[in-house]
C-alpha cells in the first residue's frame, strides 16, 4: 500500500511538472542535460529499491566519480533516467528520498518497478 501511494504521488508530481514546464501542454519534448561526455534525457520517474545496504551513490555515472552518499534497503528511492556509458553497464540517476542525496547508482544495485525508458 505504501509503494502504491508513493508511485501515485510521483506520477501526480511528474504530471504537474510536465504541464508547468511545457507552458500548459503535457506533450512537451524531453529535457536533456550533458554530464561529462554523455547526454542524459529526463524520463518519467520510477520507484526503486537498493538491492543491498551501503550502496555507493556517486556524483556521476561511473566508479571514477566521487561518492555522494550511501543507500540502504529500507530507503525510499526515485529513479529518474539511465545511461549506458559502456555496453552492458547502465547507471541510473536517482534520488534517495530518505536522505535527500541525488546521484548515480549502477543498475545491478537497484530494483526498478515497472518499465523504465532510457534517457
Amino acid at each position: 500500500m505504501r509503494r502504491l501511494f508513493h508511485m501515485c504521488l510521483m506520477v501526480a508530481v511528474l504530471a504537474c511538472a510536465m504541464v508547468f514546464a511545457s507552458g500548459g501542454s503535457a506533450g512537451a519534448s524531453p529535457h536533456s542535460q550533458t554530464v561529462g561526455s554523455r547526454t542524459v534525457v529526463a524520463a518519467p520517474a520510477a520507484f526503486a529499491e537498493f538491492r543491498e545496504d551501503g550502496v555507493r551513490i556517486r556524483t556521476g555515472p561511473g566508479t571514477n566519480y566521487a561518492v555522494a552518499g550511501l543507500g540502504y534497503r529500507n530507503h525510499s528511492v526515485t529513479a529518474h533516467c539511465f545511461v549506458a556509458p559502456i555496453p552492458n553497464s547502465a547507471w541510473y540517476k536517482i534520488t534517495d528520498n530518505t536522505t535527500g542525496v541525488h546521484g548515480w547508482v549502477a543498475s545491478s544495485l537497484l530494483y526498478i518497478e515497472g518499465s523504465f525508458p532510457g534517457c
Side-chain angles (χ1 to χ4, degrees):
M1 189 66 163
R2 183 176 170 198
R3 281 189 189 168
L4 180 60
F5 172 77
H6 283 254
M7 287 176 56
C8 291
L9 180 61
M10 284 189 296
V11 168
V13 168
L14 182 61
C16 290
M18 288 176 63
V19 170
F20 178 79
S22 65
S25 169
S29 61
H31 173 72
S32 66
Q33 170 187 2
T34 301
V35 177
S37 61
R38 299 167 189 92
T39 300
V40 178
V41 180
F47 179 78
E49 291 180 355
F50 294 112
R51 289 183 181 259
E52 56 191 54
D53 288 330
V55 171
R56 291 177 183 94
I57 302 169
R58 299 196 176 264
T59 58
T63 57
N64 55 321
Y65 290 90
V67 175
L70 298 175
Y72 294 88
R73 289 184 200 155
N74 63 338
H75 287 188
S76 169
V77 181
T78 302
H80 303 286
C81 65
F82 75 92
V83 296
I86 59 173
N88 300 322
S89 173
W91 286 78
Y92 284 92
K93 184 174 184 180
I94 62 105
T95 299
D96 184 330
N97 301 313
T98 304
T99 62
V101 173
H102 302 277
W104 295 82
V105 173
S107 62
S108 61
L109 299 173
L110 288 175
Y111 292 113
I112 305 289
E113 286 191 7
S115 61
F116 192 78
C119 297

